[in-house]
Amino acid sequence: MKLSPARVLLAIVAIGLASVTTLSFAGFNGGGGGNRVGGVSIDPAGVVRAATVQENQEFINLLRASVPVAKGDLAQAAETRMISLKGIQAAIETARQGGGRLPADVRFLAGLTSIEYVYVDQQNQDIVIAGPAEPWKIGDDGSIVGTKTGAAVLRLEDLIVALRNVDNSRHGGISVSIEPTAEGRDRLQKLLRRVTLKPGQNPAVIENAMKQAFGPQQVKFNGIPTDSRYAATLVAADYEMKRLAMALEDSPVKELPSYLSMARNARHSSVSNPRWWIECAYDSLTRNEAGTAWKLSGQGVKTLTEDEVVNKSGQLESTGRNDQFAQKWADAMTANYVELAAKKPIFGELQNLMDLTVVATLIAQESLESKSGLQLTVFRDNDLLSPVSYDTPRTISPECSFIRGNAGWVVTASGGVSINPFQLITEQQVDAGLEQVASVGTADAWWWNK
């Protein structure tokens, strides 16, 4: 059997990046390592590889030694926990002046697992965010998750990066994509044209040659510092999505089998390939009439798909059409996202980035600093407070996964993650029943339960 470029599935390796870092104050290090994130190692050249079992265990041990458990009232879950941004800034200043690390409750935003409300507290010159919260623990993959639901906990570091990059994200939003090179696609096509398989022979016999021909795939970012934990999380979610779709890893959710299993024995196009990407997609953003309270509704994440082809110049080009099985898989991922995020926290981490980015954009677009009288100077001062820098992910080696359909062996997949909250902010609606912040903290507390 002669192979054509459209009869082999070359799937991008998916990597689950999960980490806990602290922040660096000017003049001293807050801890954390920038070259290893969860089960993944990134070298100074930007080459990403899976960490060894020993490396991963060493990382988990490091986290256990550096991340204290939640104590006191933080050891209890809350349906709605209020977080004062004014109070967090004061807590950061206190830690800096004391010469110590940021406390875990500050780094993990008092255990918030999502953001549902944003308030302007004019009386106390404050901006308050609120949502469900849990005590935290270290997950099996090194993620920091809630002890009750397993949901990923929000990070101060990601909020800081989101606030500092609102203007950057205006130009095309925040995004990452992992793309094969035109040269790699051309080499793969030439290889497959030369290969003849015997009847019934699996193309896995030429897997190594295919990987070598295809070569490393390129990681491309827009609107976000490429050496940030935020960027690493985007890359991880994109990779892990492909890993699940292409059956490179078993899905932990029964209702979300791989795309390959869904498409088994189906007829596939000889020229087009499925592409998946994850977008920011909330049900609504509403506010009260006074413009001092906002409510964010919906899970915030949606998986989309579209077929693409390689044009004459070797570049990928959208067709405007959807493969029915690729669409079915995308819909299943969206429908089961909450359960998936609880079992694979990297998707919860991505969900949290969506929340934090919407909040950062809302603060900028609605001039909440001016309305509240609170200037978020500490959050924006890189000389005072600097997130730990990671080696930028640049390339990833391909992995192969094979399935035979009615029309032969099936082809390649690509995709990405896109976060563009500006349309959501623009389309916000008034909810006359939305209340202003009902309670406030004390001089000694920057968080409280509603």
Side-chain angles (χ1 to χ4, degrees):
M1 180 178 69
K2 192 77 173 177
L3 286 178
S4 73
R7 290 184 178 177
V8 181
L9 172 64
L10 190 63
I12 299 172
V13 153
I15 304 174
L17 300 175
S19 70
V20 56
T21 63
T22 55
L23 304 177
S24 297
F25 295 114
F28 67 92
N29 192 350
N35 294 333
R36 190 179 306 157
V37 278
V40 173
S41 175
I42 306 172
D43 72 17
V47 178
V48 181
R49 66 170 176 83
T52 65
V53 173
Q54 181 178 350
E55 287 172 337
N56 194 56
Q57 188 57 54
E58 289 174 352
F59 180 68
I60 297 295
N61 292 340
L62 175 65
L63 296 182
R64 288 172 179 164
S66 61
V67 178
V69 298
K71 298 179 180 179
D73 291 340
L74 285 175
Q76 303 298 319
E79 184 175 343
T80 304
R81 181 161 292 164
M82 320 289 280
I83 307 293
S84 161
L85 298 191
K86 179 180 180 180
I88 291 181
Q89 288 200 139
I92 293 170
E93 286 278 14
T94 298
R96 180 185 67 85
Q97 292 169 8
R101 297 178 61 186
L102 282 176
D105 57 347
V106 176
R107 286 181 278 146
F108 305 139
L109 297 177
L112 281 190
T113 56
S114 68
I115 300 176
E116 295 180 350
Y117 298 94
V118 179
Y119 299 104
V120 169
D121 184 357
Q122 295 170 322
Q123 181 178 352
N124 295 284
Q125 294 185 309
D126 202 356
I127 298 171
V128 177
I129 59 177
E134 301 176 36
W136 55 83
K137 67 177 181 179
I138 300 169
D140 294 339
D141 64 352
S143 298
I144 305 301
V145 299
T147 58
K148 181 180 178 181
T149 65
V153 172
L154 276 77
R155 310 291 188 90
L156 172 64
E157 182 172 13
D158 295 332
L159 173 59
I160 289 172
V161 172
L163 284 167
R164 292 179 182 178
N165 290 277
V166 170
D167 287 341
N168 292 341
S169 69
R170 293 178 192 275
H171 306 289
I174 294 171
S175 64
V176 65
S177 64
I178 295 83
E179 304 290 350
T181 64
E183 296 80 8
R185 286 191 296 266
D186 183 60
R187 288 193 300 267
L188 179 63
Q189 289 174 350
K190 289 179 179 178
L191 169 68
L192 297 180
R193 292 189 188 106
R194 297 195 303 267
V195 173
T196 300
L197 295 180
K198 298 176 182 179
Q201 187 177 17
N202 193 310
V205 297
I206 60 165
E207 179 176 346
N208 289 336
M210 289 166 54
K211 290 180 181 180
Q212 185 174 0
F214 203 59
Q217 294 157 99
Q218 307 300 305
V219 181
K220 299 180 181 180
F221 292 99
N222 183 73
I224 205 71
T226 60
D227 62 350
S228 64
R229 181 183 180 279
Y230 190 122
T233 302
L234 294 183
V235 173
D238 186 20
Y239 285 159
E240 189 70 2
M241 173 177 62
K242 295 179 181 69
R243 187 176 181 86
L244 293 173
M246 297 307 171
L248 293 170
E249 180 177 337
D250 291 337
S251 172
V253 178
K254 181 179 178 181
E255 291 76 15
L256 182 64
S258 70
Y259 161 74
L260 292 191
S261 64
M262 289 183 175
R264 191 180 301 276
N265 298 323
R267 182 169 294 276
H268 301 277
S269 169
S270 62
V271 294
S272 63
N273 313 308
R275 177 186 185 91
W276 292 279
W277 69 97
I278 301 173
E279 279 193 359
C280 178
Y282 291 88
D283 293 341
S284 66
L285 176 67
T286 56
R287 64 172 175 84
N288 64 0
E289 293 180 344
T292 57
W294 285 262
K295 181 178 181 181
L296 194 57
S297 301
Q299 70 182 24
V301 182
K302 183 177 184 179
T303 306
L304 302 173
T305 186
E306 187 176 47
D307 282 1
E308 58 188 10
V309 297
V310 180
N311 60 27
K312 293 181 179 179
S313 63
Q315 301 300 313
L316 292 173
E317 186 176 277
S318 296
T319 66
R321 300 184 300 273
N322 294 348
D323 172 88
Q324 62 171 320
F325 296 104
Q327 184 64 60
K328 182 179 179 181
W329 190 86
D331 291 344
M333 184 174 182
T334 300
N336 295 281
Y337 196 91
V338 173
E339 182 181 357
L340 179 63
K343 294 183 177 181
K344 282 192 166 295
I346 187 58
F347 293 110
E349 298 265 16
L350 176 62
Q351 200 169 19
N352 291 347
L353 292 187
M354 302 287 188
D355 285 1
L356 292 169
T357 305
V358 168
V359 168
T361 305
L362 180 68
I363 289 172
Q365 290 293 97
E366 296 292 322
S367 303
L368 300 195
E369 288 173 87
S370 177
K371 286 183 179 181
S372 66
L374 172 67
Q375 295 302 307
L376 300 175
T377 53
V378 173
F379 286 122
R380 294 196 174 91
D381 188 346
N382 193 62
D383 292 331
L384 172 66
L385 189 62
S386 178
V388 170
S389 179
Y390 291 81
D391 288 318
T392 297
R394 301 182 189 279
T395 61
I396 180 68
S397 297
E399 288 289 334
C400 299
S401 185
F402 304 95
I403 183 174
R404 177 144 188 165
N406 289 337
W409 297 91
V410 199
V411 220
T412 75
S414 57
V417 177
S418 176
I419 305 178
N420 191 340
F422 288 96
Q423 183 176 358
L424 178 69
I425 305 298
T426 302
E427 295 177 350
Q428 61 181 287
Q429 301 293 318
V430 173
D431 177 1
L434 188 59
E435 298 180 357
Q436 172 57 294
V437 58
S439 59
V440 297
T442 67
D444 298 324
W446 53 267
W447 66 267
W448 62 96
N449 296 332
K450 184 175 179 180

